Amino acid sequence: MSERTATVTRETSETTIECTLAIDGSGDADVETGIGFFDHMLTALAKHGLFDLEVECDGDLEIDDHHTVEDVAIVVGTALDEALGDRTGIVRYADRRVPLDEAVAGAVVDVSGRPRFYFDGAFSQDAIGDFTSDMARHFGESLAMNAGLTLHLEVDGENAHHEVEALFKALARTLDDATRIDDRREGTPSTKGAL
């Protein structure tokens, strides 16, 4: 198996980002976005997905967190897409639910190359520190659009910190399952012969 890694940079008038992603990692993360809770979530994504992830972002946080979270999702999604290559041998589909105290979140993914996104739920508080809670939904959407995922996310709970954290952990476990190489499979997991 070739090394499934990618490095992506993106520079706009709103953010400057560099990201390196290794799919077959050990869960190591080195993340600096300027938003403490978002750094925590990206670290959880790496840890529970067993990805190695480096993200450095300089964003216009004097405005708000939107551009930083959205653009990091774009870059991480692009890196995931590039690291997957032609998706030969992957499991492709996965479904996980993860609890965190009173909260529970679920993620269902098809690593199909056809981006779609669906979300069900609401966050109990508007913000967690400097992180706007709804940006967790937007992160999922931007990731799906740029990684070529059909992604369904759902969340329920009473505490936004727990809801968002459960959501990132469910996403991590689902992506780990779906991007694994299935030793029984030859070629791409599609009757079309390509994803």
Side-chain angles (χ1 to χ4, degrees):
M1 180 177 65
S2 62
E3 192 171 302
R4 299 189 300 166
T5 64
T7 297
V8 175
T9 59
R10 174 182 166 94
E11 186 169 351
T12 71
S13 61
E14 298 167 344
T15 60
T16 301
I17 304 169
E18 183 166 347
C19 169
T20 298
L21 172 70
I23 293 174
D24 306 302
S26 57
D28 293 334
D30 183 7
V31 177
E32 180 58 54
T33 67
I35 306 168
F37 184 75
F38 188 39
D39 291 353
H40 180 44
M41 292 303 93
L42 291 171
T43 300
L45 184 73
K47 183 74 167 179
H48 294 280
L50 293 172
F51 306 121
D52 289 343
L53 180 64
E54 296 177 15
V55 176
E56 185 172 347
C57 176
D58 181 17
D60 56 359
L61 296 177
E62 70 279 4
I63 295 174
D64 66 11
D65 58 338
H66 184 102
H67 297 144
T68 293
V69 176
E70 178 179 63
D71 289 3
V72 166
I74 289 169
V75 171
V76 172
T78 302
L80 179 60
D81 183 53
E82 289 183 12
L84 283 166
D86 65 3
R87 293 161 162 77
T88 297
I90 64 169
V91 172
R92 181 177 169 178
Y93 303 101
D95 179 1
R96 287 283 188 138
R97 285 173 59 81
V98 170
L100 180 56
D101 296 345
E102 88 300 335
V104 64
V108 180
V109 70
D110 177 5
V111 186
S112 62
R114 295 187 307 278
R116 298 292 297 267
F117 180 75
Y118 302 91
F119 182 82
D120 185 26
F123 299 105
S124 296
Q125 290 81 38
D126 291 337
I128 308 150
D130 294 330
F131 182 87
T132 305
S133 300
D134 190 60
M135 288 310 298
R137 178 200 55 78
H138 192 53
F139 177 89
E141 181 177 18
S142 298
L143 181 79
M145 294 301 114
N146 289 276
L149 310 174
T150 296
L151 179 62
H152 295 248
L153 297 177
E154 62 181 356
V155 67
D156 185 42
E158 299 173 1
N159 178 284
H161 184 127
H162 294 162
E163 293 157 1
V164 172
E165 188 166 347
L167 195 65
F168 270 81
K169 289 176 177 178
L171 177 60
R173 297 301 306 131
T174 304
L175 287 174
D176 178 46
D177 291 345
T179 59
R180 288 183 193 180
I181 298 298
D182 185 342
D183 293 333
R184 302 168 300 167
R185 185 181 302 283
E186 291 185 16
T188 304
S190 172
T191 54
K192 297 180 182 72
L195 289 174

